[in-house]
Amino acid sequence: MSVSPAPGRPAEDWWKSAVVYQVYVRSFADADGDGVGDLAGVRSRLPYLRDLGVDALWLTPFYRSPMVDGGYDVADYRDVDPVFGTLADFDHMITDAHALGLRIIVDIVPNHTSDAHPWFTAALASPPGSAERDRYLFRDGRGPGGDLPPNDWESIFGGPAWTRVPDGQWYLHLFDPAQPDLNWRHPEVRAEFEDVLRFWLDRGVDGFRIDVAHGMIKAEGLPDVGDGVPAGQRQVELLGRARLPYFDQDEVHDIYRAWRPILDSYPGGRMAVAEAWAETPQRLARYIGPDELHQAFNFDFLDATWSADSFRKVIDTALAEATIVGAPTTWVLSNHDKQRHVTRYGDGALGLRRARAAALMMLALPGSVYLYQGEELGLPEVLDLPDELRQDPAFRRTGESRDGCRVPLPWSGDVPPYGFGPAGAAPAWLPAPPTWRARSVTAQTGVPDSTLELYRAALRLRRDHPALPGDPAGAGDPAGAGGPAGAGGPAGAGGPAGAGGVRWRESEPGVLAFSRAAPAGAPELTCVVNFGDEPVTVRDYGTPILTSELLAGDADGTTLPTDTAGWFVRPVTG
Ligand code: BGC
């Protein structure tokens, strides 16, 4: 069964305002009881996701892999790893998802393979200069005997980006040594990935999340980064501020110009979203457009600190970028690589309160939203995992670990793993803390002030309210109907509806308020967020329809407490 488009939107444009739920497959639901999540587990929980109100799922890699980097080290791009199930499990899962109106986006990892990929094992078994080695980036070392790495590049996971093989050559790996970088100037590499795209498109996927989308092409000659890196910093810290010779090279766009016609040759709006980092918004914008990719993650929103100024700035920038690229932006607060935002915002009750407010802010903005599994439960980062259980390869090299945001979800029950697996299952691959008993799906279901019910209500309104959320080409957003995204750019307080129909409202310091334009006759919706230390009285925006905390009202208006957001509606006058 095909998936029907959002009301007022052609099927091809579904992604423009979609709410996409990121499933970190290893930690979502374990159907076979081995302690690791799997595709049958995803399938069993699809009704939960449909009822939550999301439009699509992004599944992190489930391909055959030695799991050195949680599956971002792929040994076979056309098969499911046995720990996650089989291709038949994938087919059942996607059939059920489509029947429930949910689209499926899969991760594609083109920058590197696993060192267990047959191409790499063949490269190791072949001599320097062989055709087999040419699919990767093998080089002779520098210095006497070639004992030094070929250049000064650093791995994102720490240490040099080169590893030496027994015959003396070195190979490049921007991530773990078990993730050798491919040579994207090699025609076989290009042909292979075009075929992999078709393989999954033929199985019905609705889109791809492209891992390290800015990394595939390296500068000719593999030049040193040099000494522009401030003392005490790692090269990766220059990401987004300076161009590194291994990221965001112009030729990478040739790859996407070849991929886009493949996506477009399938019906129903098959899309691609880039995990890309670039020096400037203008350079990031080059990844997006009718002849390249559909979207890129907007990590500035995730990186914003908890203040009105910080969020105002990133929202304005994102809306301006949407204008540059002619497509709505994306909003994301957490993912499998970053500390969960409850913890980033202060942890405990404070962090949760802010996270709930942030969710209402994000879900009122135009564009698409990427939720990370468990944020709808208000899960914090697990900070006290025993070191011996941590699996992130970066941990051994840098001491930093992403395991704390990857702890398996609590679904139900009183004892770990809280319904993650069936009764009698092996312990989950990472243990949930005892406090997660109260955070499980069943513990929060039907509890009016729970975070889960807040997300459910917000997603329902986002779908149903005429002023939300859409993009300028969508229904319910007259600000730019049919025209390019964000006509007019960011609006100042009291100005006309600007990018995506967002109109900033006059507000006191520490408070953000923006209205979403509604079609004639429909009520306007205003989102107000109080980042300040004191409660504020909110007037003129109408009646609250959803708030992240309980509000008090009096004759003067509504009191919005600190670290709280609310959605207000008022009939449009004049
Ligand atoms: C993924 C990480 C992964 C890395 C290497 C990132 O973009 O999100 O989880 O470790 O790519 O594939």
mmCIF file with all atom_site columns, all heavy atoms in Angstrom, residues 43 70 72 75 268 302 356 365 368 422 436 442 503 511 526 549 571:
data_model
loop_
_atom_site.group_PDB
_atom_site.id
_atom_site.type_symbol
_atom_site.label_atom_id
_atom_site.label_alt_id
_atom_site.label_comp_id
_atom_site.label_asym_id
_atom_site.label_entity_id
_atom_site.label_seq_id
_atom_site.pdbx_PDB_ins_code
_atom_site.Cartn_x
_atom_site.Cartn_y
_atom_site.Cartn_z
_atom_site.occupancy
_atom_site.B_iso_or_equiv
_atom_site.pdbx_formal_charge
_atom_site.auth_seq_id
_atom_site.auth_comp_id
_atom_site.auth_asym_id
_atom_site.auth_atom_id
_atom_site.pdbx_PDB_model_num
ATOM 1   N N   . ARG A 1 43  ? 9.246   -3.529  13.876 1.00 0.00 ? 43  ARG A N   1
ATOM 2   C CA  . ARG A 1 43  ? 7.934   -3.845  13.293 1.00 0.00 ? 43  ARG A CA  1
ATOM 3   C C   . ARG A 1 43  ? 6.863   -3.934  14.383 1.00 0.00 ? 43  ARG A C   1
ATOM 4   O O   . ARG A 1 43  ? 5.755   -3.422  14.228 1.00 0.00 ? 43  ARG A O   1
ATOM 5   C CB  . ARG A 1 43  ? 8.039   -5.181  12.555 1.00 0.00 ? 43  ARG A CB  1
ATOM 6   C CG  . ARG A 1 43  ? 6.772   -5.580  11.857 1.00 0.00 ? 43  ARG A CG  1
ATOM 7   C CD  . ARG A 1 43  ? 6.936   -6.944  11.216 1.00 0.00 ? 43  ARG A CD  1
ATOM 8   N NE  . ARG A 1 43  ? 5.740   -7.322  10.495 1.00 0.00 ? 43  ARG A NE  1
ATOM 9   C CZ  . ARG A 1 43  ? 5.427   -8.569  10.177 1.00 0.00 ? 43  ARG A CZ  1
ATOM 10  N NH1 . ARG A 1 43  ? 6.249   -9.562  10.503 1.00 0.00 ? 43  ARG A NH1 1
ATOM 11  N NH2 . ARG A 1 43  ? 4.325   -8.823  9.526  1.00 0.00 ? 43  ARG A NH2 1
ATOM 12  N N   . GLY A 1 70  ? 28.903  0.429   15.931 1.00 0.00 ? 70  GLY A N   1
ATOM 13  C CA  . GLY A 1 70  ? 27.449  0.281   16.010 1.00 0.00 ? 70  GLY A CA  1
ATOM 14  C C   . GLY A 1 70  ? 26.764  0.096   14.671 1.00 0.00 ? 70  GLY A C   1
ATOM 15  O O   . GLY A 1 70  ? 25.597  0.462   14.516 1.00 0.00 ? 70  GLY A O   1
ATOM 16  N N   . TYR A 1 72  ? 27.907  1.449   11.740 1.00 0.00 ? 72  TYR A N   1
ATOM 17  C CA  . TYR A 1 72  ? 28.413  2.423   10.761 1.00 0.00 ? 72  TYR A CA  1
ATOM 18  C C   . TYR A 1 72  ? 29.723  1.925   10.140 1.00 0.00 ? 72  TYR A C   1
ATOM 19  O O   . TYR A 1 72  ? 30.499  2.696   9.597  1.00 0.00 ? 72  TYR A O   1
ATOM 20  C CB  . TYR A 1 72  ? 28.580  3.806   11.396 1.00 0.00 ? 72  TYR A CB  1
ATOM 21  C CG  . TYR A 1 72  ? 27.247  4.534   11.544 1.00 0.00 ? 72  TYR A CG  1
ATOM 22  C CD1 . TYR A 1 72  ? 26.534  4.491   12.727 1.00 0.00 ? 72  TYR A CD1 1
ATOM 23  C CD2 . TYR A 1 72  ? 26.694  5.233   10.474 1.00 0.00 ? 72  TYR A CD2 1
ATOM 24  C CE1 . TYR A 1 72  ? 25.307  5.136   12.853 1.00 0.00 ? 72  TYR A CE1 1
ATOM 25  C CE2 . TYR A 1 72  ? 25.474  5.879   10.591 1.00 0.00 ? 72  TYR A CE2 1
ATOM 26  C CZ  . TYR A 1 72  ? 24.788  5.830   11.778 1.00 0.00 ? 72  TYR A CZ  1
ATOM 27  O OH  . TYR A 1 72  ? 23.576  6.463   11.883 1.00 0.00 ? 72  TYR A OH  1
ATOM 28  N N   . ALA A 1 75  ? 29.842  -4.194  6.229  1.00 0.00 ? 75  ALA A N   1
ATOM 29  C CA  . ALA A 1 75  ? 30.562  -5.230  5.490  1.00 0.00 ? 75  ALA A CA  1
ATOM 30  C C   . ALA A 1 75  ? 29.779  -5.695  4.259  1.00 0.00 ? 75  ALA A C   1
ATOM 31  O O   . ALA A 1 75  ? 30.351  -6.218  3.308  1.00 0.00 ? 75  ALA A O   1
ATOM 32  C CB  . ALA A 1 75  ? 30.844  -6.426  6.402  1.00 0.00 ? 75  ALA A CB  1
ATOM 33  N N   . GLY A 1 268 ? 6.640   8.649   -5.918 1.00 0.00 ? 268 GLY A N   1
ATOM 34  C CA  . GLY A 1 268 ? 6.206   8.847   -4.534 1.00 0.00 ? 268 GLY A CA  1
ATOM 35  C C   . GLY A 1 268 ? 7.083   9.746   -3.691 1.00 0.00 ? 268 GLY A C   1
ATOM 36  O O   . GLY A 1 268 ? 6.869   9.853   -2.496 1.00 0.00 ? 268 GLY A O   1
ATOM 37  N N   . LEU A 1 302 ? 20.466  22.122  17.378 1.00 0.00 ? 302 LEU A N   1
ATOM 38  C CA  . LEU A 1 302 ? 20.878  21.173  18.414 1.00 0.00 ? 302 LEU A CA  1
ATOM 39  C C   . LEU A 1 302 ? 21.960  21.793  19.313 1.00 0.00 ? 302 LEU A C   1
ATOM 40  O O   . LEU A 1 302 ? 21.978  21.566  20.516 1.00 0.00 ? 302 LEU A O   1
ATOM 41  C CB  . LEU A 1 302 ? 21.387  19.904  17.728 1.00 0.00 ? 302 LEU A CB  1
ATOM 42  C CG  . LEU A 1 302 ? 21.790  18.699  18.546 1.00 0.00 ? 302 LEU A CG  1
ATOM 43  C CD1 . LEU A 1 302 ? 21.622  17.427  17.718 1.00 0.00 ? 302 LEU A CD1 1
ATOM 44  C CD2 . LEU A 1 302 ? 23.212  18.763  19.040 1.00 0.00 ? 302 LEU A CD2 1
ATOM 45  N N   . ARG A 1 356 ? 11.020  19.952  27.479 1.00 0.00 ? 356 ARG A N   1
ATOM 46  C CA  . ARG A 1 356 ? 9.598   19.964  27.107 1.00 0.00 ? 356 ARG A CA  1
ATOM 47  C C   . ARG A 1 356 ? 9.256   21.285  26.410 1.00 0.00 ? 356 ARG A C   1
ATOM 48  O O   . ARG A 1 356 ? 8.519   21.305  25.416 1.00 0.00 ? 356 ARG A O   1
ATOM 49  C CB  . ARG A 1 356 ? 8.739   19.770  28.364 1.00 0.00 ? 356 ARG A CB  1
ATOM 50  C CG  . ARG A 1 356 ? 8.841   18.373  28.956 1.00 0.00 ? 356 ARG A CG  1
ATOM 51  C CD  . ARG A 1 356 ? 8.310   18.321  30.401 1.00 0.00 ? 356 ARG A CD  1
ATOM 52  N NE  . ARG A 1 356 ? 6.944   18.792  30.491 1.00 0.00 ? 356 ARG A NE  1
ATOM 53  C CZ  . ARG A 1 356 ? 5.864   17.990  30.533 1.00 0.00 ? 356 ARG A CZ  1
ATOM 54  N NH1 . ARG A 1 356 ? 6.016   16.690  30.521 1.00 0.00 ? 356 ARG A NH1 1
ATOM 55  N NH2 . ARG A 1 356 ? 4.653   18.494  30.612 1.00 0.00 ? 356 ARG A NH2 1
ATOM 56  N N   . LEU A 1 365 ? 7.636   25.260  14.539 1.00 0.00 ? 365 LEU A N   1
ATOM 57  C CA  . LEU A 1 365 ? 8.385   25.916  13.466 1.00 0.00 ? 365 LEU A CA  1
ATOM 58  C C   . LEU A 1 365 ? 8.099   25.256  12.115 1.00 0.00 ? 365 LEU A C   1
ATOM 59  O O   . LEU A 1 365 ? 7.780   24.070  12.052 1.00 0.00 ? 365 LEU A O   1
ATOM 60  C CB  . LEU A 1 365 ? 9.889   25.846  13.777 1.00 0.00 ? 365 LEU A CB  1
ATOM 61  C CG  . LEU A 1 365 ? 10.345  26.789  14.902 1.00 0.00 ? 365 LEU A CG  1
ATOM 62  C CD1 . LEU A 1 365 ? 11.731  26.410  15.402 1.00 0.00 ? 365 LEU A CD1 1
ATOM 63  C CD2 . LEU A 1 365 ? 10.325  28.239  14.425 1.00 0.00 ? 365 LEU A CD2 1
ATOM 64  N N   . SER A 1 368 ? 10.822  20.424  8.534  1.00 0.00 ? 368 SER A N   1
ATOM 65  C CA  . SER A 1 368 ? 10.660  19.079  9.064  1.00 0.00 ? 368 SER A CA  1
ATOM 66  C C   . SER A 1 368 ? 11.433  18.925  10.361 1.00 0.00 ? 368 SER A C   1
ATOM 67  O O   . SER A 1 368 ? 12.372  19.667  10.639 1.00 0.00 ? 368 SER A O   1
ATOM 68  C CB  . SER A 1 368 ? 11.066  18.026  8.038  1.00 0.00 ? 368 SER A CB  1
ATOM 69  O OG  . SER A 1 368 ? 12.272  18.369  7.457  1.00 0.00 ? 368 SER A OG  1
ATOM 70  N N   . PRO A 1 422 ? 11.532  -9.514  25.213 1.00 0.00 ? 422 PRO A N   1
ATOM 71  C CA  . PRO A 1 422 ? 10.453  -10.355 25.733 1.00 0.00 ? 422 PRO A CA  1
ATOM 72  C C   . PRO A 1 422 ? 10.827  -10.922 27.111 1.00 0.00 ? 422 PRO A C   1
ATOM 73  O O   . PRO A 1 422 ? 11.987  -10.867 27.520 1.00 0.00 ? 422 PRO A O   1
ATOM 74  C CB  . PRO A 1 422 ? 10.356  -11.481 24.699 1.00 0.00 ? 422 PRO A CB  1
ATOM 75  C CG  . PRO A 1 422 ? 11.702  -11.530 24.042 1.00 0.00 ? 422 PRO A CG  1
ATOM 76  C CD  . PRO A 1 422 ? 12.262  -10.139 24.087 1.00 0.00 ? 422 PRO A CD  1
ATOM 77  N N   . TRP A 1 436 ? 14.401  4.764   35.153 1.00 0.00 ? 436 TRP A N   1
ATOM 78  C CA  . TRP A 1 436 ? 13.660  4.680   33.883 1.00 0.00 ? 436 TRP A CA  1
ATOM 79  C C   . TRP A 1 436 ? 12.377  3.888   33.999 1.00 0.00 ? 436 TRP A C   1
ATOM 80  O O   . TRP A 1 436 ? 11.571  3.875   33.086 1.00 0.00 ? 436 TRP A O   1
ATOM 81  C CB  . TRP A 1 436 ? 14.572  4.111   32.773 1.00 0.00 ? 436 TRP A CB  1
ATOM 82  C CG  . TRP A 1 436 ? 15.527  5.151   32.271 1.00 0.00 ? 436 TRP A CG  1
ATOM 83  C CD1 . TRP A 1 436 ? 15.900  6.281   32.916 1.00 0.00 ? 436 TRP A CD1 1
ATOM 84  C CD2 . TRP A 1 436 ? 16.219  5.159   31.010 1.00 0.00 ? 436 TRP A CD2 1
ATOM 85  N NE1 . TRP A 1 436 ? 16.795  6.998   32.149 1.00 0.00 ? 436 TRP A NE1 1
ATOM 86  C CE2 . TRP A 1 436 ? 17.007  6.322   30.983 1.00 0.00 ? 436 TRP A CE2 1
ATOM 87  C CE3 . TRP A 1 436 ? 16.267  4.288   29.927 1.00 0.00 ? 436 TRP A CE3 1
ATOM 88  C CZ2 . TRP A 1 436 ? 17.822  6.655   29.898 1.00 0.00 ? 436 TRP A CZ2 1
ATOM 89  C CZ3 . TRP A 1 436 ? 17.073  4.601   28.837 1.00 0.00 ? 436 TRP A CZ3 1
ATOM 90  C CH2 . TRP A 1 436 ? 17.840  5.779   28.827 1.00 0.00 ? 436 TRP A CH2 1
ATOM 91  N N   . THR A 1 442 ? 4.520   2.635   29.102 1.00 0.00 ? 442 THR A N   1
ATOM 92  C CA  . THR A 1 442 ? 3.273   2.353   29.824 1.00 0.00 ? 442 THR A CA  1
ATOM 93  C C   . THR A 1 442 ? 3.140   3.236   31.062 1.00 0.00 ? 442 THR A C   1
ATOM 94  O O   . THR A 1 442 ? 2.039   3.657   31.403 1.00 0.00 ? 442 THR A O   1
ATOM 95  C CB  . THR A 1 442 ? 3.140   0.869   30.234 1.00 0.00 ? 442 THR A CB  1
ATOM 96  O OG1 . THR A 1 442 ? 4.342   0.468   30.847 1.00 0.00 ? 442 THR A OG1 1
ATOM 97  C CG2 . THR A 1 442 ? 2.864   -0.033  29.067 1.00 0.00 ? 442 THR A CG2 1
ATOM 98  N N   . ARG A 1 503 ? 6.306   34.842  12.071 1.00 0.00 ? 503 ARG A N   1
ATOM 99  C CA  . ARG A 1 503 ? 6.306   36.282  12.372 1.00 0.00 ? 503 ARG A CA  1
ATOM 100 C C   . ARG A 1 503 ? 6.725   36.474  13.820 1.00 0.00 ? 503 ARG A C   1
ATOM 101 O O   . ARG A 1 503 ? 6.028   36.037  14.741 1.00 0.00 ? 503 ARG A O   1
ATOM 102 C CB  . ARG A 1 503 ? 4.896   36.852  12.152 1.00 0.00 ? 503 ARG A CB  1
ATOM 103 C CG  . ARG A 1 503 ? 4.779   38.333  12.454 1.00 0.00 ? 503 ARG A CG  1
ATOM 104 C CD  . ARG A 1 503 ? 3.523   38.896  11.822 1.00 0.00 ? 503 ARG A CD  1
ATOM 105 N NE  . ARG A 1 503 ? 2.319   38.297  12.403 1.00 0.00 ? 503 ARG A NE  1
ATOM 106 C CZ  . ARG A 1 503 ? 1.516   38.923  13.259 1.00 0.00 ? 503 ARG A CZ  1
ATOM 107 N NH1 . ARG A 1 503 ? 1.780   40.162  13.646 1.00 0.00 ? 503 ARG A NH1 1
ATOM 108 N NH2 . ARG A 1 503 ? 0.442   38.325  13.735 1.00 0.00 ? 503 ARG A NH2 1
ATOM 109 N N   . VAL A 1 511 ? 12.323  36.232  26.411 1.00 0.00 ? 511 VAL A N   1
ATOM 110 C CA  . VAL A 1 511 ? 11.120  35.546  25.923 1.00 0.00 ? 511 VAL A CA  1
ATOM 111 C C   . VAL A 1 511 ? 11.142  35.562  24.398 1.00 0.00 ? 511 VAL A C   1
ATOM 112 O O   . VAL A 1 511 ? 11.476  36.579  23.790 1.00 0.00 ? 511 VAL A O   1
ATOM 113 C CB  . VAL A 1 511 ? 9.838   36.253  26.424 1.00 0.00 ? 511 VAL A CB  1
ATOM 114 C CG1 . VAL A 1 511 ? 8.592   35.593  25.823 1.00 0.00 ? 511 VAL A CG1 1
ATOM 115 C CG2 . VAL A 1 511 ? 9.785   36.228  27.943 1.00 0.00 ? 511 VAL A CG2 1
ATOM 116 N N   . THR A 1 526 ? 0.363   31.209  18.062 1.00 0.00 ? 526 THR A N   1
ATOM 117 C CA  . THR A 1 526 ? 1.597   31.849  18.541 1.00 0.00 ? 526 THR A CA  1
ATOM 118 C C   . THR A 1 526 ? 2.263   30.929  19.554 1.00 0.00 ? 526 THR A C   1
ATOM 119 O O   . THR A 1 526 ? 1.606   30.416  20.469 1.00 0.00 ? 526 THR A O   1
ATOM 120 C CB  . THR A 1 526 ? 1.283   33.206  19.204 1.00 0.00 ? 526 THR A CB  1
ATOM 121 O OG1 . THR A 1 526 ? 0.617   34.027  18.246 1.00 0.00 ? 526 THR A OG1 1
ATOM 122 C CG2 . THR A 1 526 ? 2.560   33.909  19.661 1.00 0.00 ? 526 THR A CG2 1
ATOM 123 N N   . GLU A 1 549 ? 4.099   23.279  30.755 1.00 0.00 ? 549 GLU A N   1
ATOM 124 C CA  . GLU A 1 549 ? 3.848   23.155  32.196 1.00 0.00 ? 549 GLU A CA  1
ATOM 125 C C   . GLU A 1 549 ? 2.462   23.738  32.461 1.00 0.00 ? 549 GLU A C   1
ATOM 126 O O   . GLU A 1 549 ? 1.924   24.447  31.608 1.00 0.00 ? 549 GLU A O   1
ATOM 127 C CB  . GLU A 1 549 ? 4.881   23.959  33.019 1.00 0.00 ? 549 GLU A CB  1
ATOM 128 C CG  . GLU A 1 549 ? 6.326   23.625  32.738 1.00 0.00 ? 549 GLU A CG  1
ATOM 129 C CD  . GLU A 1 549 ? 6.732   22.221  33.155 1.00 0.00 ? 549 GLU A CD  1
ATOM 130 O OE1 . GLU A 1 549 ? 6.136   21.691  34.116 1.00 0.00 ? 549 GLU A OE1 1
ATOM 131 O OE2 . GLU A 1 549 ? 7.620   21.640  32.488 1.00 0.00 ? 549 GLU A OE2 1
ATOM 132 N N   . PRO A 1 571 ? -8.348  34.162  17.015 1.00 0.00 ? 571 PRO A N   1
ATOM 133 C CA  . PRO A 1 571 ? -8.881  34.410  15.675 1.00 0.00 ? 571 PRO A CA  1
ATOM 134 C C   . PRO A 1 571 ? -8.160  35.600  15.048 1.00 0.00 ? 571 PRO A C   1
ATOM 135 O O   . PRO A 1 571 ? -7.794  36.543  15.747 1.00 0.00 ? 571 PRO A O   1
ATOM 136 C CB  . PRO A 1 571 ? -10.348 34.753  15.929 1.00 0.00 ? 571 PRO A CB  1
ATOM 137 C CG  . PRO A 1 571 ? -10.637 34.304  17.314 1.00 0.00 ? 571 PRO A CG  1
ATOM 138 C CD  . PRO A 1 571 ? -9.337  34.312  18.061 1.00 0.00 ? 571 PRO A CD  1
#
